[in-house]
Amino acid sequence: MTQKKRLKSVTIPVSTFEHVMKQFNQAAEKLNIDPGLLEFLKYPKQSTIVSLPVKMDNGSFKMFTGYRVQHSIIRGPAKGGIRYHPDVTLDEVQALAAWMTWKCAVVNVPFGGGKGGVVCDPATMSQGELERLTRRYTAEIKELLGPESDVPAPDVNTNERTMAWIMDTYSMHAHHTVTSVVTGKPVVMGGSRGRREATGAGVVITIREALKHLKMKPESATAVVQGFGNVGSVSAQYLHKLGVRVTHICDIFGGLHNPDGIDIDALLKYVEENKNVVGFPGAKPFDRDKVLFVDADILVPAALENQITEHNANKVKAKIIAEGANGPVTPEADPILQGKGIFVIPDILCNAGGVTVSYFEWVQDRMGFFWTAEEVNQRLEQFMTNAFYDVLKVALENKVHLRMAAFMVAIQRVVEVVMLRGIYA
Ligand code: NAD
């Protein structure tokens, strides 16, 4: 979401796309690449804005705004989720699309970067309204979409259900079933086993390897998770399985604390029934806004961007920050965290498990042959650990932090393909 910086009485919105640009520029400075080529890589290839009339349950029509951005298709089809949120902006979607380009290159899957979003508040909409909104949005951007051109997936406030509607709408227009046009679908209609858990599972693989690198033991470590949606809940569950004690958790509605470790499986059942973490009997209430500053070994921000800024980075006490969310740490906060010796596993590496299994889903759909959960998880392990050590190697060789190293790996991989393809200019 757009972060607001207060300066005297004026409120200046901070661009999330600028945030990615800064990260890109810092890494690009370390590489010996033609500046014109770097300019070509920075900006989105195409940004589309659509107006969506939707018939509401009370019979009235309401207009919504939707976006789809393709940042890059250099390494393959644009790939990236669709977000439903009242604060979605074109700037934010462009930033998220750019992060997807670099993320796909870090884990070395053959995709470019894309992202979509609709300005809406799903909490206030019925299933019928959400279905009609999703179908109209899909119809408006259907020329952009396709297994070879642009493949969406779930993001904040969208899920398997949303992907099923997108797949069906696209297929109705194509007059045949096209499963590989979206990933993150239900398994019974061409989804991949392990996709729902993939982002959180990947987050915890990178944490496990970081703990090894820092010579810390999971069973003596504590963790805090901000956000209990798809990424946060699975990260918490897999941390718990790894033997890490998860002492604090929060969602938008409130926080929880249990010094002995929260029983995540019990909490998952509670949230399924109650829709949020508040009132869970296995923990005490805790101030949601203080969760980021708890004295724990591992902090997993898994909610939204711009959470750790230059205004609060000093208060962070964790030894490891694993960025489950996209862009939770601003570029201004990064040097403060580095100064405190905090090991930050950057989003484009840490949360890349989702797009990795999305790649597996796309491959399986195109083959028409589906893998077991074991096969998916074993391949996810392989992709995530390879990416972690590719990035760590560059970080150690160049004496830079992991975010810079991840961008360096990604930019080099994209540039290599551009040089081979050439620029049609
Ligand atoms: P989600 O909608 O399933 O969950 C978001 C969670 O964050 C909810 O529990 C919500 O209550 C909580 N939240 C929102 N604002 C908060 C606040 N101010 N304080 C505390 N909690 C807050 O979304 P998700 O799919 O889990 O995505 C979360 C983040 O991970 C986003 O940045 C998304 O872009 C990123 N991400 C998601 C995936 C994926 O596969 N779903 C993959 C990569 C990255």
Side-chain angles (χ1 to χ4, degrees):
M1 309 295 109
T2 304
Q3 181 203 354
K4 299 267 165 67
K5 198 199 249 177
R6 289 220 161 266
L7 194 68
K8 291 186 183 157
S9 60
V10 192
T11 300
I12 304 168
V14 175
S15 155
T16 306
F17 188 65
E18 283 299 320
H19 174 159
V20 193
M21 294 284 225
K22 276 191 192 156
Q23 295 172 339
F24 176 91
N25 287 338
Q26 284 164 2
E29 270 176 27
K30 298 268 174 195
L31 300 166
N32 187 17
I33 295 171
D34 180 304
L37 181 51
L38 290 172
E39 281 300 295
F40 165 60
L41 298 181
K42 268 193 210 171
Y43 296 97
K45 180 183 176 299
Q46 188 172 341
S47 301
T48 303
I49 307 177
V50 287
S51 295
L52 311 169
V54 176
K55 192 167 189 180
M56 307 306 279
D57 288 347
N58 65 7
S60 68
F61 285 94
K62 195 169 167 188
M63 293 304 295
F64 294 86
T65 303
Y67 304 102
R68 185 73 192 169
V69 173
Q70 297 168 334
H71 177 260
S72 168
I73 55 164
I74 291 167
R75 284 171 47 92
K79 186 84 193 79
I82 290 172
R83 175 175 292 196
Y84 287 176
H85 197 284
D87 297 344
V88 164
T89 60
L90 180 61
D91 175 87
E92 179 187 67
V93 179
Q94 288 180 327
L96 291 161
W99 273 316
M100 285 307 295
T101 300
W102 310 119
K103 189 181 302 184
C104 291
V106 168
V107 275
N108 221 349
V109 295
F111 288 132
K115 204 82 182 187
V118 178
V119 188
C120 65
D121 184 1
T124 63
M125 296 171 71
S126 70
Q127 282 286 297
E129 289 168 345
L130 284 171
E131 176 173 352
R132 292 190 289 280
L133 171 71
T134 303
R135 288 188 184 279
R136 182 66 192 227
Y137 173 62
T138 308
E140 292 292 344
I141 61 167
K142 76 176 170 26
E143 274 77 27
L144 301 172
L145 304 183
E148 301 290 345
S149 49
D150 187 346
V151 186
D155 192 70
V156 173
N157 292 327
T158 57
N159 53 29
E160 291 186 348
R161 179 73 272 187
T162 326
M163 296 307 113
W165 290 327
I166 296 177
M167 188 277 239
D168 182 70
T169 309
Y170 184 88
S171 298
M172 287 299 105
H173 284 275
H175 299 291
H176 62 105
T177 295
V178 189
T179 52
S180 49
V181 68
V182 280
T183 59
K185 300 178 293 294
V187 171
V188 292
M189 50 173 283
S192 176
R193 292 181 178 84
R195 173 60 186 88
R196 196 188 61 75
E197 300 83 3
T199 307
V203 167
V204 177
I205 292 171
T206 64
I207 293 174
R208 187 192 66 205
E209 298 308 311
L211 287 169
K212 270 189 213 160
H213 170 66
L214 299 171
K215 301 195 174 22
M216 291 165 69
K217 289 200 166 23
E219 50 289 358
S220 8
T222 53
V224 167
V225 181
Q226 184 204 36
F228 203 69
N230 176 290
V231 182
S233 67
V234 179
S235 299
Q237 199 180 18
Y238 280 55
L239 278 168
H240 185 66
K241 273 195 207 161
L242 189 66
V244 174
R245 203 153 32 97
V246 182
T247 57
H248 297 71
I249 274 177
C250 74
D251 63 12
I252 184 96
F253 302 100
L256 298 174
H257 166 49
N258 182 341
D260 300 325
I262 298 170
D263 180 344
I264 308 297
D265 292 331
L267 178 60
L268 280 166
K269 277 198 198 112
Y270 179 85
V271 171
E272 215 178 289
E273 283 161 25
N274 298 277
K275 305 293 170 225
N276 66 68
V277 303
V278 177
F280 174 62
K284 293 208 169 95
F286 191 83
D287 184 346
R288 179 198 85 175
D289 296 329
K290 293 202 173 126
V291 156
L292 295 172
F293 315 118
V294 165
D295 193 359
D297 297 304
I298 305 159
L299 167 63
V300 185
L304 293 170
E305 55 265 36
N306 299 326
Q307 297 299 298
I308 302 173
T309 68
E310 76 264 41
H311 305 296
N312 64 17
N314 250 325
K315 294 198 266 175
V316 176
K317 298 194 187 75
K319 297 186 182 73
I320 298 173
I321 297 179
E323 294 185 336
N326 288 310
V329 173
T330 65
E332 295 73 27
D334 254 336
I336 303 171
L337 300 176
Q338 283 156 31
K340 288 166 71 93
I342 299 174
F343 190 85
V344 178
I345 312 172
D347 45 9
I348 59 170
L349 167 64
C350 188
N351 68 35
V355 76
T356 302
V357 178
S358 275
Y359 164 55
F360 299 161
E361 181 172 332
W362 180 78
V363 169
Q364 292 169 76
D365 285 338
R366 286 152 61 97
M367 281 198 296
F369 183 74
F370 291 86
W371 308 345
T372 62
E374 290 71 32
E375 284 171 306
V376 170
N377 291 332
Q378 186 218 326
R379 289 181 170 123
L380 174 65
E381 267 286 334
Q382 191 190 331
F383 274 67
M384 291 303 295
T385 43
N386 284 350
F388 182 87
Y389 287 102
D390 286 351
V391 170
L392 186 64
K393 184 165 176 273
V394 169
L396 296 175
E397 278 172 5
N398 294 277
K399 298 190 175 44
V400 296
H401 52 89
L402 249 59
R403 186 180 322 280
M404 173 114 40
F407 268 89
M408 287 167 74
V409 167
I411 294 170
Q412 274 170 321
R413 285 184 178 154
V414 177
V415 166
E416 198 182 346
V417 177
V418 173
M419 298 311 281
L420 288 166
R421 287 180 64 157
I423 299 176
Y424 184 32

